[in-house]
Amino acid sequence: PSPKPLQPNGASEEALRCEIKELKQKDLALDQEIAQLLSEGYSLEELDKHISLLHEYNEIKDAGQMLLGKLAVIRGVTTKQLYPEYDLELSD
């Protein structure tokens, strides 16, 4: 989330305290998830590599979706109508 402008009243201070508490809880949950994965035999390097590959996959998929969208506009069809032509599943 983007930073919120600071206001000099108690309500904004309370909102900030709640946000800090939520972030600390998320941090703890992530630490616990990492500990669980490590206990299952995963290494931090392996997890980092997996995350990196997921980011790369998502970027490539986004580019493909953009190209399908442009092609659909050119042809005057929906992207959904192009999926069978390229042997894509709707879940792709």
Side-chain angles (χ1 to χ4, degrees), residues 24-72:
K24 286 181 179 181
Q25 289 172 339
K26 286 180 184 179
D27 184 47
L28 179 61
L30 288 171
D31 285 344
Q32 290 171 342
E33 188 175 347
I34 289 170
Q36 174 68 32
L37 291 168
L38 291 174
S39 73
E40 292 173 6
Y42 295 97
S43 70
L44 286 177
E45 294 81 17
E46 185 179 9
L47 294 172
D48 285 341
K49 179 67 175 172
H50 185 74
I51 290 169
S52 176
L53 290 171
L54 283 172
H55 283 295
E56 185 177 347
Y57 166 81
N58 285 329
E59 289 173 8
I60 293 168
K61 183 177 177 182
D62 289 345
Q65 289 292 329
M66 184 181 68
L67 290 173
L68 275 177
K70 290 182 182 275
L71 183 58

Side-chain angles (χ1 to χ4, degrees), residues 68-82:
L68 275 177
K70 290 182 182 275
L71 183 58
V73 169
I74 291 169
R75 291 189 182 176
V77 298
T78 65
T79 54
K80 183 178 179 179
Q81 291 171 309
L82 293 175

